[in-house]
């Protein structure tokens, strides 16, 4: 994954599409570790995500000396304007290059080749791009042409929200499902337990029909998630269909943008034994997951946990970086957490653990299978 040079100062984080919907059955724990945790972290990854920042370049303008003529003043303004336009064009070109270097031809639903992609670049850059918002629009349309739902462009505001809060602002994740009419419908893939949507009566498998009276049929999950977002404590009215043949219900849901802890833990003592088990369930990889997991591990260890059970079943996915940082807590220094490769097999980006594990007691991991 390559990050654009205009990315925000905050560490890049990408909200991932969670795994396909599954029944809430609880399969047995799967070993060995750390392979299981690596797989969970990798499941949060997407094929490509493009990030951009707000800055278009800083220009210091000193007070004009009295002897400076009007023609010279105009030339200076033209030069500054040209540089700003070039920055917008460079942003678009950089996004184009990321796809050109790493996109896999079979990743999208439409045919792709470097020749076709080169023509797309030539067509786009024929005219000037005079605003950052226009550059963002061009990139979004350019990536939409790929037909790949996992290749996305995040504007600075979208990136800021997704790096801090849940995907929708009401605690649910959506997935596009093809329907019989050749279009697609939006199904609720997962919910945050006791989150706003869950408390209002939304359940996994429900179909989202409208938002504030606007029909969402045929819209992408990403676009609809943006429609659901809004200021904290404001309300959004959604209409859902419960299951395939259930009733249609309209409900008013209060947005809750504060990231809630996805970590639930307890200490369990085994009968007729002196040992204790520290049980930890991670419901999603959000912005506070690592911090709260570290706190849970330390508290359980101080309470006498002899070993740990890490439950990743029914995990909704989440931020790639959060999953990576959590995996590092259990790996030895230098161990590979995750690696990414593109079309060029000679180029591989590898992320490794920088220090030793936080705990060295035995660990079991429960995952979906």
């Amino acid at each position: 994954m390559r990050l654009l040079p205009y990315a925000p100062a905050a560490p890049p984080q990408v909200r991932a599409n969670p795994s396909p919907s599954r029944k809430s059955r609880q399969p047995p724990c799967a070993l060995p570790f750390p392979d299981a945790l690596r797989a969970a972290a990798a499941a949060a990854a997407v094929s490509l995500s493009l990030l951009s920042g707000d800055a278009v370049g800083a220009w210091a303008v000193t007070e004009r000396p009295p002897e400076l003529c009007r023609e010279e003043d105009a030339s200076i303004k033209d030069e500054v304007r040209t540089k700003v336009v070039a920055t917008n064009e460079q942003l678009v070109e950089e996004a184009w290059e990321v796809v050109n270097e790493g996109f896999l031809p079979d990743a999208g639903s439409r045919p792709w080749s470097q020749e076709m992609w080169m023509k797309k670049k030539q067509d786009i850059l024929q005219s000037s791009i005079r605003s950052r918002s226009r550059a963002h629009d061009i990139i979004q349309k350019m990536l939409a042409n790929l037909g790949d739902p996992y290749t996305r462009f995040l504007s600075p505001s979208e990136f800021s929200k997704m790096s801090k809060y849940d995907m929708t602002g009401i605690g649910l994740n959506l997935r596009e499902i093809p329907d019989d009419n050749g279009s697609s419908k939006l199904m609720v893939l997962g919910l945050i337990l006791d989150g706003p949507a869950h408390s209002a009566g939304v359940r996994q498998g429900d179909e989202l029909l409208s938002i504030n009276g606007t029909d969402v049929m045929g819209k992408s999950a990403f676009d609809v998630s943006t429609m659901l977002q809004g200021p904290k404590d404001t309300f959004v009215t959604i209409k859902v269909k419960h299951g395939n043949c259930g009733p249609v219900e309209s409900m008013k849901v209060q947005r809750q943008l504060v990231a809630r802890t996805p970590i639930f833990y307890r200490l369990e003592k085994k009968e007729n034994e002196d040992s204790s088990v520290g049980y930890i369930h991670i419901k999603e990889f959000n912005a506070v997951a690592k911090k709260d997991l570290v706190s849970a591990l330390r508290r359980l260890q101080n309470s006498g946990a002899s070993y740990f059970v890490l439950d990743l079943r029914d995990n909704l996915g989440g931020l790639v970086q959060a999953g990576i940082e959590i995996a590092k807590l259990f790996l030895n220094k230098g161990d590979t957490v995750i690696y990414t490769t593109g079309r060029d097999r000679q180029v591989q980006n590898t992320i490794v653990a920088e220090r030793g594990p936080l705990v060295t007691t035995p660990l079991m991991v429960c995952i979906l299978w």
Side-chain angles (χ1 to χ4, degrees):
M1 184 190 306
R2 179 177 175 184
L3 304 182
L4 302 185
Y6 308 100
Q13 301 184 41
V14 181
R15 184 85 181 189
N17 286 355
S19 57
S21 176
R22 301 172 187 266
K23 295 182 180 179
S24 58
R25 64 186 180 88
Q26 297 292 321
C29 296
L31 294 175
F33 180 84
D35 292 338
L37 191 56
R38 286 197 189 98
V46 294
S47 59
L48 176 66
S49 292
L50 304 175
L51 310 173
S52 77
D54 292 314
V56 295
W59 301 95
V61 180
T62 58
E63 186 177 350
R64 177 169 59 90
E67 66 273 15
L68 188 62
C69 66
R70 290 183 179 273
E71 289 75 15
E72 291 172 334
D73 187 40
S75 67
I76 292 175
K77 291 181 180 179
D78 288 341
E79 181 182 359
V80 172
R81 187 181 299 111
T82 300
K83 290 181 179 178
V84 173
V85 171
T87 302
N88 292 326
E89 292 175 342
Q90 184 179 3
L91 176 61
V92 173
E93 188 170 2
E94 188 75 14
W96 179 91
E97 288 177 354
V98 171
V99 175
N100 188 58
E101 293 175 4
F103 189 78
L104 298 177
D106 57 351
S109 59
R110 303 179 185 178
W112 184 92
S113 69
Q114 286 185 304
E115 293 76 16
M116 294 171 59
W117 197 240
M118 176 61 73
K119 186 178 185 305
K120 175 69 66 176
K121 173 183 175 181
Q122 293 170 348
D123 293 342
I124 289 174
L125 297 180
Q126 282 183 350
S127 57
S128 297
I129 306 172
R130 298 189 175 276
S131 69
R132 182 49 57 98
S133 60
R134 175 58 179 160
H136 291 174
D137 291 341
I138 290 174
I139 293 174
Q140 289 173 341
K141 292 178 181 178
M142 178 176 67
L143 298 182
N145 183 260
L146 298 172
D148 179 20
Y150 305 106
T151 300
R152 305 170 180 170
F153 172 81
L154 300 181
S155 69
S157 60
E158 291 170 334
F159 174 82
S160 178
K161 289 179 181 178
M162 297 184 78
S163 64
K164 295 179 181 178
Y165 311 123
D166 69 83
M167 188 173 182
T168 66
I170 60 174
L172 59 81
N173 287 333
L174 301 169
R175 185 185 181 197
E176 300 166 39
I177 303 293
D179 62 13
D180 298 334
N181 300 322
S183 184
S184 63
K185 55 186 179 181
L186 292 172
M187 308 298 292
V188 177
L189 181 65
L191 299 108
I192 294 178
L193 185 63
D194 297 328
H198 183 266
S199 299
V202 181
R203 293 294 178 262
Q204 183 173 322
D206 287 355
E207 179 185 355
L208 181 63
L209 302 177
S210 69
I211 301 173
N212 291 331
T214 301
D215 187 4
V216 298
M217 177 65 71
K219 294 183 181 294
S220 71
F222 193 74
D223 289 340
V224 172
S225 296
T226 301
M227 294 170 62
L228 287 169
Q229 291 175 345
K232 178 183 176 181
D233 295 333
T234 59
F235 287 86
V236 59
T237 300
I238 62 175
K239 183 183 290 185
V240 299
K241 179 181 178 183
H242 297 295
N244 292 329
C245 304
V248 174
E249 182 180 359
S250 180
M251 55 189 71
K252 192 174 183 180
V253 185
Q254 188 175 27
R255 295 181 176 99
Q256 188 178 61
L257 295 181
V258 176
R260 303 180 59 177
T261 180
I263 307 298
F264 300 87
Y265 65 96
R266 64 180 181 268
L267 186 69
E268 295 187 355
K269 295 197 174 188
K270 300 182 65 175
E271 295 182 4
N272 303 323
E273 292 187 23
D274 295 331
S275 61
S276 300
V277 180
Y279 172 85
I280 302 175
H281 188 190
I282 304 179
K283 291 188 173 294
E284 69 170 336
F285 299 115
N286 69 5
V288 299
K290 178 190 174 183
K291 174 179 68 68
D292 290 353
L293 177 59
V294 169
S295 177
L297 286 168
R298 288 174 174 168
R299 290 183 180 181
L300 290 171
Q301 196 168 42
N302 293 336
S303 298
S306 303
Y307 59 94
F308 293 96
V309 173
L310 191 63
D311 192 349
L312 299 179
R313 292 173 293 181
D314 297 324
N315 187 287
L316 298 177
L319 303 174
V320 173
Q321 192 62 33
I324 290 172
E325 294 303 319
I326 286 175
K328 289 180 181 179
L329 297 176
F330 303 97
L331 300 176
N332 295 321
K333 183 177 180 180
D335 283 354
T336 298
V337 181
I338 190 172
Y339 69 89
T340 60
T341 59
R343 193 170 56 255
D344 185 356
R345 298 300 179 182
Q346 301 300 317
V347 179
Q348 177 176 307
N349 297 321
T350 303
I351 298 176
V352 300
E354 297 90 0
R355 54 183 63 87
L358 181 65
V359 295
T360 56
T361 48
L363 173 71
M364 298 174 61
V365 181
C366 298
I367 61 172
L368 286 171
W369 64 343

